[in-house]
């Protein structure tokens, strides 16, 4: 693994990565809470009765919510070790940074973004599902 020596700019970048990773924690907590609310709302819609087409769409949204929940768990599992490494580097205990740190951060960023993007798609799908069904003529 290639090693990059430390300097003030790298230290600044590590602090920035740490701040971003800490923000992920709060974003994941928010997404977890909101996803639970979306799941309850969709289940309530299904129980209230709806046409087969809308029910299929609602079940698809529930499937996506399961994927969101799984994605959140994966990021939450990997995040503490990443934060610990960043804290170690910020403490000054290490005098070298590796590309592995940046690669790991990029992987976590990609997973976090994918979870949030899917969350936004579910919210948009729920808005469409909440629109009144057209009356039969």
């Amino acid at each position: 693994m290639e090693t990059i020596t430390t300097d003030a700019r790298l230290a600044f970048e590590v602090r920035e990565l740490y701040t971003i990773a800490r923000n992920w924690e709060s974003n994941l907590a928010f997404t977890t809470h909101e996803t639970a609310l979306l799941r309850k709302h969709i289940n309530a819609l299904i129980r209230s009765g709806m046409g087969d087409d809308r029910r299929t769409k609602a079940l698809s949204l529930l499937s996506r919510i399961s994927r969101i929940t799984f994605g959140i768990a994966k990021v939450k599992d990997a995040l503490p070790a990443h934060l610990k490494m960043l804290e170690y580097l910020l403490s000054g205990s290490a005098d070298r940074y590796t590309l592995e740190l940046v690669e790991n951060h990029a992987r976590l960023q990609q997973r976090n973004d994918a979870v949030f993007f899917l969350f936004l798609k579910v919210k948009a799908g729920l808005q469409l599902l909440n629109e009144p069904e057209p009356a039969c003529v």
Side-chain angles (χ1 to χ4, degrees):
M1 178 72 36
E2 180 182 338
T3 303
I4 305 170
T5 57
T6 183
D7 66 10
R9 179 69 182 156
L10 283 175
F12 174 80
E13 294 293 334
V14 171
R15 282 192 299 277
E16 191 171 313
L17 293 178
Y18 182 78
T19 301
I20 290 168
R22 280 291 182 195
N23 284 332
W24 291 343
E25 284 183 317
S26 61
N27 291 342
L28 290 170
F30 168 80
T31 306
T32 299
H33 176 73
E34 289 296 307
T35 301
L37 293 176
L38 291 176
R39 183 187 308 266
K40 285 180 184 179
H41 186 74
I42 293 168
N43 282 325
L45 284 173
I46 291 171
R47 283 191 303 273
S48 71
M50 54 178 44
D52 288 342
D53 185 47
R54 291 180 92 122
R55 182 178 175 78
T56 300
K57 289 177 184 175
L59 292 173
S60 174
L61 290 176
L62 286 176
S63 174
R64 287 180 177 184
I65 286 175
S66 293
R67 288 180 30 214
I68 292 169
T69 304
F70 179 76
I72 288 171
K74 294 296 276 185
V75 175
K76 280 185 175 180
D77 286 348
L79 196 52
H82 183 62
L83 284 167
K84 191 173 211 167
M85 174 55 81
L86 291 169
E87 289 167 357
Y88 176 72
L89 293 171
L90 287 172
S91 73
S93 299
D95 60 351
R96 298 190 176 270
Y97 303 99
T98 65
L99 288 177
E100 181 181 1
L101 171 71
V102 176
E103 291 168 349
N104 188 47
H105 191 85
R107 270 191 303 276
L108 285 170
Q109 177 77 53
Q110 185 179 27
R111 288 179 183 164
N112 189 50
D113 290 350
V115 165
F116 196 68
F117 179 70
L118 189 54
F119 171 75
L120 293 176
K121 286 180 76 170
V122 168
K123 279 187 75 168
L126 182 57
Q127 286 176 338
L128 292 173
L129 200 60
N130 279 328
E131 292 178 359
E133 291 189 61
C136 295
V137 180

